[in-house]
Amino acid sequence: EDQVTQSPEALRLQEGESSSLNCSYTVSGLRGLFWYRQDPGKGPEFLFTLYSAGEEKEKERLKATLTKKESFLHITAPKPEDSATYLCAVQALMRGYQKVTFGTGTKLQVIP
Amino acid sequence: NAGVTQTPKFRILKIGQSMTLQCTQDMNHNYMYWYRQDPGMGLKLIYYSVGAGITDKGEVPNGYNVSRSTTEDFPLRLELAAPSQTSVYFCASSYSKAPGSLQNEQFFGPGTRLTVL
Protein backbone atom coordinates (compact mmCIF):
# COMPACT_ATOMS: atom_id res chain seq x y z
CA GLU A 1 0.00 0.00 0.00
CA ASP A 2 1.24 3.49 -0.87
CA GLN A 3 2.40 5.47 2.15
CA VAL A 4 3.35 9.09 2.57
CA THR A 5 4.89 10.31 5.83
CA GLN A 6 5.60 13.95 6.57
CA SER A 7 7.84 15.26 9.32
CA PRO A 8 7.87 17.07 11.57
CA GLU A 9 4.14 17.29 12.33
CA ALA A 10 4.63 20.86 13.49
CA LEU A 11 7.48 23.34 13.19
CA ARG A 12 7.93 26.70 14.84
CA LEU A 13 10.52 29.07 13.34
CA GLN A 14 11.69 32.57 14.04
CA GLU A 15 11.37 34.92 11.10
CA GLY A 16 14.51 34.49 8.98
CA GLU A 17 15.36 31.05 10.41
CA SER A 18 15.69 28.65 7.46
CA SER A 19 14.62 25.01 7.72
CA SER A 20 13.37 22.00 5.76
CA LEU A 21 10.21 19.89 5.77
CA ASN A 22 10.42 16.22 4.88
CA CYS A 23 8.10 13.98 2.88
CA SER A 24 9.11 10.32 2.69
CA TYR A 25 7.17 7.85 0.59
CA THR A 26 6.84 4.19 -0.29
CA VAL A 27 5.01 3.72 -3.56
CA SER A 28 5.21 1.35 -6.49
CA GLY A 29 6.17 3.37 -9.52
CA LEU A 30 6.19 7.03 -8.52
CA ARG A 31 4.77 9.13 -11.33
CA GLY A 32 4.93 12.49 -9.59
CA LEU A 33 5.15 14.24 -6.22
CA PHE A 34 3.14 17.35 -5.40
CA TRP A 35 3.53 19.99 -2.70
CA TYR A 36 0.54 22.05 -1.54
CA ARG A 37 0.04 24.84 0.96
CA GLN A 38 -3.12 24.97 3.07
CA ASP A 39 -4.17 28.02 5.07
CA PRO A 40 -6.64 27.60 7.97
CA GLY A 41 -10.23 27.24 6.78
CA LYS A 42 -9.24 26.98 3.10
CA GLY A 43 -8.60 24.31 0.52
CA PRO A 44 -5.03 23.27 -0.37
CA GLU A 45 -3.26 25.39 -2.96
CA PHE A 46 -0.76 23.92 -5.41
CA LEU A 47 2.94 24.80 -5.09
CA PHE A 48 5.12 22.35 -7.05
CA THR A 49 5.21 19.12 -9.01
CA LEU A 50 8.38 16.99 -9.15
CA TYR A 51 8.63 14.02 -11.48
CA SER A 52 12.08 12.49 -11.18
CA ALA A 53 14.91 12.08 -8.66
CA GLY A 54 17.28 15.03 -8.74
CA GLU A 55 14.64 17.48 -9.88
CA GLU A 56 14.37 20.82 -8.05
CA LYS A 57 11.84 23.65 -8.25
CA GLU A 58 11.82 27.07 -6.63
CA LYS A 59 9.24 29.71 -5.87
CA GLU A 60 10.17 32.76 -3.82
CA ARG A 61 11.48 31.44 -0.47
CA LEU A 62 10.50 27.83 -1.19
CA LYS A 63 12.57 25.16 -2.90
CA ALA A 64 11.42 21.58 -3.41
CA THR A 65 13.77 18.68 -4.11
CA LEU A 66 13.18 15.00 -4.84
CA THR A 67 15.17 11.81 -4.26
CA LYS A 68 14.13 8.20 -4.84
CA LYS A 69 12.66 7.91 -1.33
CA GLU A 70 11.83 11.41 -0.14
CA SER A 71 11.25 15.03 -0.94
CA PHE A 72 12.27 18.13 0.94
CA LEU A 73 10.65 21.53 1.03
CA HIS A 74 13.34 24.03 1.98
CA ILE A 75 12.20 27.36 3.37
CA THR A 76 14.82 30.10 3.22
CA ALA A 77 14.49 33.14 5.51
CA PRO A 78 10.80 32.53 6.19
CA LYS A 79 8.33 35.32 6.89
CA PRO A 80 5.17 35.19 9.05
CA GLU A 81 3.05 34.95 5.89
CA ASP A 82 4.67 31.57 5.18
CA SER A 83 2.79 30.16 8.18
CA ALA A 84 0.49 27.39 6.90
CA THR A 85 0.19 23.62 6.69
CA TYR A 86 2.29 22.11 3.90
CA LEU A 87 1.02 18.91 2.32
CA CYS A 88 2.81 16.53 0.00
CA ALA A 89 1.12 13.98 -2.24
CA VAL A 90 2.44 11.19 -4.44
CA GLN A 91 1.00 10.00 -7.73
CA ALA A 92 1.24 6.36 -8.80
CA LEU A 93 -0.53 4.16 -11.33
CA MET A 94 -3.21 1.93 -9.82
CA ARG A 95 -6.12 0.12 -11.48
CA GLY A 96 -5.63 2.00 -14.70
CA TYR A 97 -5.65 5.49 -13.26
CA GLN A 98 -3.16 7.75 -11.56
CA LYS A 99 -3.87 7.49 -7.81
CA VAL A 100 -2.84 10.39 -5.60
CA THR A 101 -2.08 9.80 -1.90
CA PHE A 102 -1.69 12.70 0.53
CA GLY A 103 0.44 12.96 3.63
CA THR A 104 -0.93 14.43 6.87
CA GLY A 105 1.04 17.64 6.55
CA THR A 106 3.51 19.79 8.46
CA LYS A 107 2.06 22.78 10.28
CA LEU A 108 4.53 25.65 10.04
CA GLN A 109 4.40 28.67 12.28
CA VAL A 110 6.78 31.58 11.63
CA ILE A 111 7.09 34.00 14.52
CA PRO A 112 7.99 37.66 13.88
CA ASN B 1 -12.80 31.48 -14.01
CA ALA B 2 -14.41 30.68 -10.67
CA GLY B 3 -12.34 27.46 -10.38
CA VAL B 4 -13.95 24.91 -8.04
CA THR B 5 -17.00 26.05 -6.11
CA GLN B 6 -18.70 24.20 -3.25
CA THR B 7 -21.99 24.74 -1.50
CA PRO B 8 -22.93 25.02 1.28
CA LYS B 9 -20.00 26.40 3.30
CA PHE B 10 -21.41 25.16 6.60
CA ARG B 11 -24.14 22.73 7.56
CA ILE B 12 -25.43 21.12 10.72
CA LEU B 13 -27.34 17.85 10.32
CA LYS B 14 -29.20 15.67 12.76
CA ILE B 15 -28.39 11.97 12.93
CA GLY B 16 -30.28 10.13 10.20
CA GLN B 17 -30.82 13.14 7.95
CA SER B 18 -29.58 13.23 4.36
CA MET B 19 -28.02 15.95 2.30
CA THR B 20 -26.12 16.65 -0.92
CA LEU B 21 -22.89 18.59 -1.08
CA GLN B 22 -22.57 20.42 -4.37
CA CYS B 23 -19.35 20.82 -6.38
CA THR B 24 -18.88 22.57 -9.70
CA GLN B 25 -15.75 23.31 -11.72
CA ASP B 26 -15.46 25.54 -14.78
CA MET B 27 -11.99 24.46 -15.99
CA ASN B 28 -13.18 21.55 -18.16
CA HIS B 29 -11.21 19.12 -16.01
CA ASN B 30 -11.91 15.42 -16.50
CA TYR B 31 -10.89 14.24 -13.02
CA MET B 32 -12.93 15.21 -9.96
CA TYR B 33 -12.56 14.10 -6.34
CA TRP B 34 -14.20 14.24 -2.96
CA TYR B 35 -12.04 14.25 0.16
CA ARG B 36 -12.75 14.54 3.83
CA GLN B 37 -10.27 16.12 6.22
CA ASP B 38 -10.39 15.42 9.93
CA PRO B 39 -8.10 17.29 12.33
CA GLY B 40 -4.54 15.95 12.09
CA MET B 41 -5.59 13.15 9.73
CA GLY B 42 -4.80 14.56 6.32
CA LEU B 43 -7.01 14.19 3.25
CA LYS B 44 -8.90 10.93 2.81
CA LEU B 45 -10.32 10.16 -0.65
CA ILE B 46 -14.05 9.32 -0.60
CA TYR B 47 -14.89 9.00 -4.31
CA TYR B 48 -13.37 10.08 -7.58
CA SER B 49 -14.43 10.39 -11.20
CA VAL B 50 -12.31 10.22 -14.36
CA GLY B 51 -15.04 11.69 -16.54
CA ALA B 52 -18.78 12.13 -16.96
CA GLY B 53 -20.60 8.88 -16.20
CA ILE B 54 -17.56 7.22 -14.56
CA THR B 55 -17.07 7.12 -10.80
CA ASP B 56 -15.18 4.86 -8.40
CA LYS B 57 -14.65 4.40 -4.68
CA GLY B 58 -11.72 5.84 -2.78
CA GLU B 59 -10.44 4.90 0.66
CA VAL B 60 -13.51 5.79 2.75
CA PRO B 61 -16.69 5.49 0.60
CA ASN B 62 -19.08 4.00 3.17
CA GLY B 63 -22.08 6.22 3.88
CA TYR B 64 -21.61 8.30 0.73
CA ASN B 65 -22.72 8.24 -2.90
CA VAL B 66 -21.76 10.25 -5.96
CA SER B 67 -22.85 10.80 -9.53
CA ARG B 68 -21.22 12.57 -12.47
CA SER B 69 -23.74 13.35 -15.19
CA THR B 70 -21.80 16.33 -16.57
CA THR B 71 -18.14 17.35 -16.78
CA GLU B 72 -18.77 20.31 -14.50
CA ASP B 73 -20.72 18.83 -11.58
CA PHE B 74 -19.84 16.16 -9.02
CA PRO B 75 -22.33 16.10 -6.13
CA LEU B 76 -21.70 14.05 -2.97
CA ARG B 77 -24.72 12.50 -1.27
CA LEU B 78 -24.80 11.63 2.43
CA GLU B 79 -27.51 9.18 3.37
CA LEU B 80 -28.46 8.63 7.01
CA ALA B 81 -25.91 11.03 8.50
CA ALA B 82 -23.85 9.78 11.46
CA PRO B 83 -21.62 11.68 13.92
CA SER B 84 -18.59 9.96 12.33
CA GLN B 85 -19.28 11.99 9.18
CA THR B 86 -18.56 15.25 10.99
CA SER B 87 -15.67 16.64 9.00
CA VAL B 88 -14.55 19.20 6.44
CA TYR B 89 -15.28 18.07 2.89
CA PHE B 90 -13.20 19.22 -0.07
CA CYS B 91 -13.96 18.81 -3.73
CA ALA B 92 -11.08 18.97 -6.21
CA SER B 93 -10.50 18.67 -9.93
CA SER B 94 -7.54 18.04 -12.21
CA TYR B 95 -6.74 17.49 -15.87
CA SER B 96 -5.31 14.42 -17.51
CA LYS B 97 -4.97 13.73 -21.25
CA ALA B 98 -6.45 10.27 -20.70
CA PRO B 99 -7.62 8.24 -17.65
CA GLY B 100 -4.28 6.43 -17.30
CA SER B 101 -2.09 9.42 -18.11
CA LEU B 102 -0.32 11.64 -15.63
CA GLN B 103 -2.58 14.07 -13.83
CA ASN B 104 -1.77 17.71 -13.49
CA GLU B 105 -2.10 19.36 -10.11
CA GLN B 106 -5.43 19.33 -8.30
CA PHE B 107 -7.48 22.48 -7.76
CA PHE B 108 -9.47 22.50 -4.54
CA GLY B 109 -12.69 24.17 -3.55
CA PRO B 110 -13.07 26.17 -0.31
CA GLY B 111 -14.62 23.24 1.57
CA THR B 112 -17.87 22.44 3.37
CA ARG B 113 -17.76 22.16 7.15
CA LEU B 114 -20.33 19.55 8.20
CA THR B 115 -21.41 18.78 11.75
CA VAL B 116 -23.69 15.85 12.56
CA LEU B 117 -25.36 15.99 15.97
Side-chain angles (χ1 to χ4, degrees):
Chain A
E1 186 178 316
D2 299 343
Q3 284 196 329
V4 181
T5 304
Q6 291 189 246
S7 61
E9 288 185 12
L11 182 63
R12 199 173 182 204
L13 299 174
Q14 291 292 132
E15 184 172 1
E17 180 187 2
S18 301
S19 188
S20 296
L21 313 182
N22 178 262
C23 172
S24 63
Y25 58 88
T26 53
V27 61
S28 300
L30 179 74
R31 305 297 292 274
L33 185 142
F34 303 89
W35 281 99
Y36 292 84
R37 170 192 171 126
Q38 186 174 22
D39 293 303
K42 295 189 176 182
E45 184 180 332
F46 170 74
L47 292 172
F48 304 109
T49 309
L50 302 167
Y51 290 107
S52 56
E55 190 174 358
E56 298 182 352
K57 290 200 176 165
E58 285 187 74
K59 181 180 179 180
E60 296 181 356
R61 295 175 293 283
L62 300 177
K63 179 180 177 180
T65 62
L66 181 65
T67 71
K68 288 187 178 179
K69 292 186 177 180
E70 58 192 348
S71 176
F72 292 94
L73 185 65
H74 307 278
I75 304 177
T76 303
K79 298 182 178 182
E81 53 263 41
D82 295 321
S83 297
T85 295
Y86 291 86
L87 301 169
C88 76
V90 297
Q91 180 173 201
L93 185 63
M94 189 189 81
R95 295 209 313 257
Y97 98 104
Q98 298 289 339
K99 178 188 174 188
V100 177
T101 304
F102 280 84
T104 53
T106 293
K107 186 174 182 179
L108 173 67
Q109 183 184 14
V110 182
I111 303 161
Chain B
N1 269 0
V4 179
T5 56
Q6 292 183 238
T7 56
K9 286 186 167 49
F10 304 94
R11 184 72 185 267
I12 298 175
L13 282 181
K14 293 183 179 178
I15 294 173
Q17 287 186 320
S18 300
M19 76 165 293
T20 299
L21 281 65
Q22 301 291 345
C23 175
T24 300
Q25 55 94 7
D26 63 359
M27 296 172 283
N28 201 33
H29 285 170
N30 44 358
Y31 276 75
M32 292 189 77
Y33 314 82
W34 274 105
Y35 294 94
R36 59 178 288 172
Q37 188 175 40
D38 301 320
M41 297 298 290
L43 290 163
K44 297 292 185 185
L45 182 64
I46 305 171
Y47 272 94
Y48 68 96
S49 170
V50 301
I54 306 169
T55 63
D56 203 353
K57 297 176 181 178
E59 302 171 74
V60 290
N62 291 346
Y64 307 95
N65 274 303
V66 294
S67 60
R68 183 108 180 261
S69 56
T70 67
T71 299
E72 295 79 18
D73 300 307
F74 191 41
L76 178 71
R77 177 81 177 163
L78 277 71
E79 305 281 1
L80 299 175
S84 60
Q85 293 178 305
T86 294
S87 189
V88 180
Y89 291 84
F90 289 103
C91 178
S93 71
S94 68
Y95 174 74
S96 170
K97 290 181 182 178
S101 300
L102 289 176
Q103 294 176 40
N104 291 345
E105 68 275 15
Q106 294 184 26
F107 291 80
F108 285 82
T112 294
R113 186 174 295 275
L114 176 67
T115 302
V116 181
L117 300 174

